[in-house]
């Protein structure tokens, strides 16, 4: 039989298929991805190391799709752009968050993106022994606000009997408007605090 003009399987194809299933809200395990690609599950193991390998391929594809590059920006401008993209990335794929944070990062594209961030922070004046801590804070911030953006329009439904919450909710923004306002305030507070730390 003649060979196909393009490969039926590759790590990139497998990762993309997993993401497509995830975005559709469907299971994205080995069997589901094999069905999606029209191959036997055993065929995937020629390209990936089980489900852990698939998750890492999906992580790599995600970062490539949402990646922000420094491009000679100041560290704080780069950080704001990065946080906006990462927030959207996590909001678009909230069901992946527990799987992503439970696995060691090995994908070259993801390592390169973190290397960009570490380099921008060091070049911006952050001590090298603080850089990993700052990166962890940035990660937690992006994940948290990504999940907040993916939350329902009505985050709280207190009913009767609150002392303060019910009152402050009256006339407050809902949905995306609330999430965007909260995020922008949070970004300002985070970046201002990091600038202040540099000036100490």
């Amino acid at each position: 039989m003649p060979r196909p003009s393009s490969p039926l399987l590759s790590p990139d194809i497998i990762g993309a298929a997993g993401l497509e299933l995830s975005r559709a809200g469907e299971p994205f395990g080995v069997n589901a991805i094999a069905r999606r690609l029209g191959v036997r599950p055993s065929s995937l193991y020629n390209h990936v190391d089980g489900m852990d390998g698939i998750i890492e391929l999906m992580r790599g594809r995600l970062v490539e799709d949402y990646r922000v590059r420094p491009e000679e920006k100041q560290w704080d401008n780069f950080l704001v752009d990065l946080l906006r993209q990462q927030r959207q990335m996590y909001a678009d794929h909230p069901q992946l968050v527990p799987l992503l944070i439970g696995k060691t990062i090995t994908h070259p594209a993801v390592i390169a993106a973190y290397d960009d961030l570490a380099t921008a922070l060091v070049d911006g004046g952050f001590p090298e022994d603080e850089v990993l801590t700052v990166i962890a804070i940035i990660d937690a911030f992006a994940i948290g606000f990504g999940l907040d953006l993916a939350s329902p329009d009505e985050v709280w439904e207190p009913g009767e009997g609150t002392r303060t919450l019910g009152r402050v909710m009256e006339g407050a923004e809902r949905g995306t408007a609330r999430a965007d306002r909260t995020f922008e305030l949070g970004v300002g507070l985070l970046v201002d605090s990091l600038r202040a730390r540099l000036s100490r």
Side-chain angles (χ1 to χ4, degrees), residues 4 6-16 30 33-34 37 39-58 106-108:
S6 59
L8 292 175
L9 285 180
S10 70
D12 190 56
I13 289 171
I14 294 168
V30 172
I33 291 173
L37 296 174
V39 299
R40 294 179 178 177
S42 58
S43 300
L44 300 184
Y45 291 105
N46 294 323
H47 303 271
V48 297
D49 184 17
M51 196 59 206
D52 283 355
I54 290 173
I55 294 298
E56 196 60 15
L57 290 173
M58 293 168 69
T106 60
H107 195 284

Side-chain angles (χ1 to χ4, degrees), residues 54 117 123 137 150 154 169:
I54 290 173
L117 178 54
D123 289 350
I137 292 168
E154 298 292 338
M169 285 179 60

Side-chain angles (χ1 to χ4, degrees), residues 20-132:
E20 288 170 6
L21 289 168
S22 172
R23 288 175 181 141
E26 300 176 21
F28 50 86
V30 172
N31 291 338
I33 291 173
R35 283 194 301 271
R36 178 85 169 198
L37 296 174
V39 299
R40 294 179 178 177
S42 58
S43 300
L44 300 184
Y45 291 105
N46 294 323
H47 303 271
V48 297
D49 184 17
M51 196 59 206
D52 283 355
I54 290 173
I55 294 298
E56 196 60 15
L57 290 173
M58 293 168 69
R59 188 204 310 267
R61 185 61 181 257
L62 265 183
V63 168
E64 289 170 347
D65 288 348
Y66 289 83
R67 188 168 178 184
V68 175
R69 298 180 186 275
E71 296 176 348
E72 306 302 322
K73 297 175 185 174
Q74 294 291 325
W75 72 267
D76 48 358
N77 293 328
F78 170 56
L79 179 55
V80 170
D81 290 346
L82 177 70
L83 285 170
R84 289 192 173 123
Q85 276 292 89
Q86 287 192 343
R87 174 200 183 214
Q88 192 62 57
M89 178 181 76
Y90 289 121
D92 290 344
H93 306 86
Q95 70 277 22
L96 283 181
V97 171
L99 298 174
L100 295 176
I101 64 176
K103 301 281 187 284
T104 299
I105 298 168
T106 60
H107 195 284
V110 186
I111 296 295
Y114 275 104
D115 189 42
D116 283 345
L117 178 54
T119 301
L121 292 172
V122 170
D123 289 350
F126 287 90
E128 291 196 2
D129 63 354
E130 289 190 1
V131 165
L132 290 180

Side-chain angles (χ1 to χ4, degrees), residues 87-88 90-95 143-156 173-180 182:
R87 174 200 183 214
Q88 192 62 57
Y90 289 121
D92 290 344
H93 306 86
Q95 70 277 22
I143 292 169
F145 276 100
L147 295 178
D148 180 63
L149 182 57
S151 64
D153 286 351
E154 298 292 338
V155 178
W156 304 278
E173 294 167 315
R174 302 288 198 272
T176 302
R178 178 204 59 77
D180 287 347
T182 306

